[in-house]
């Protein structure tokens, strides 16, 4: 009887050890996924806006601009809403190199603001998008650019 218990214990411990080692090895080579928290991003942007812009933009305006920016990124295939995001997947597979241009982003956000009758200036949008980009760098969602410089650095 004790022999069966000993053999069963060794088999269970060996199986558990193998499972732990294989999962640990897999996780070691899996890149970390960055999750964008809209509330934290909105707080960060709202807290760091210049005073003149803070007087013009409400917290809801900032949050709306961030959501529109994320939608722009999804349409370009740069960001997703999770593992199954057909819009982002389709966009990223449609071109070899996925990119977004800041001027195009500002133009699109300004057009959406006008369509929604919001009193938002283009300068306000530029400040919000710059702060969102800073937040993305801070949380690790943005790394180096195609030419190897860090996002936000000025090339010499």
């Amino acid at each position: 009887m004790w022999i069966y218990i000993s053999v069963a214990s060794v088999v269970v411990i060996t199986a558990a050890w193998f499972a732990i080692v294989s999962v640990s090895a897999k996780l070691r080579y899996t890149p970390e996924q960055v999750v964008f928290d809209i509330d934290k991003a909105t707080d960060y942007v709202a807290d760091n806006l210049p005073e003149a812009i803070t007087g013009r933009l409400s917290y809801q305006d900032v949050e709306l601009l961030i959501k529109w920016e994320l939608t722009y990124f999804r349409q370009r295939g740069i960001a997703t809403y999770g593992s199954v995001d057909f819009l982002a997947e389709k966009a990223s597979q449609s071109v070899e190199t996925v990119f977004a241009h800041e001027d195009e982003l500002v133009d699109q956000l300004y057009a959406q603001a006008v369509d929604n009758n919001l009193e938002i200036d283009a300068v306000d949008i530029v400040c919000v998008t710059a702060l969102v980009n800073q937040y993305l760098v801070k949380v690790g969602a943005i790394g180096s650019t195609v030419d190897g410089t860090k996002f936000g650095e000025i090339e010499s």
Side-chain angles (χ1 to χ4, degrees), residues 65-97:
L65 287 170
I66 292 172
K67 287 179 181 179
W68 288 344
E69 184 172 354
L70 292 177
T71 300
Y72 173 83
F73 288 154
R74 282 184 63 230
Q75 291 169 343
R76 299 302 175 279
I78 297 172
T80 68
Y81 282 159
S83 61
V84 181
D85 189 344
F86 296 113
L87 175 66
E89 185 177 334
K90 181 180 175 186
S92 68
Q93 293 175 352
S94 66
V95 292
E96 190 172 312
T97 302

Side-chain angles (χ1 to χ4, degrees), residues 11-74:
V11 169
V12 169
I13 290 171
T14 303
W17 177 82
F18 180 74
I20 290 170
V21 168
S22 64
V23 169
S24 296
K26 182 179 178 183
L27 288 175
R28 185 177 314 128
Y29 298 107
T30 303
E32 180 183 353
Q33 290 187 346
V34 177
V35 178
F36 185 88
D37 186 335
I38 190 80
D39 294 328
K40 288 180 182 178
T42 304
D43 289 340
Y44 178 83
V45 171
D47 290 345
N48 290 294
L49 280 173
E51 268 187 53
I53 295 174
T54 304
R56 293 191 302 258
L57 291 181
S58 70
Y59 188 87
Q60 289 78 20
D61 292 338
V62 171
E63 183 176 16
L64 187 59
L65 287 170
I66 292 172
K67 287 179 181 179
W68 288 344
E69 184 172 354
L70 292 177
T71 300
Y72 173 83
F73 288 154
R74 282 184 63 230

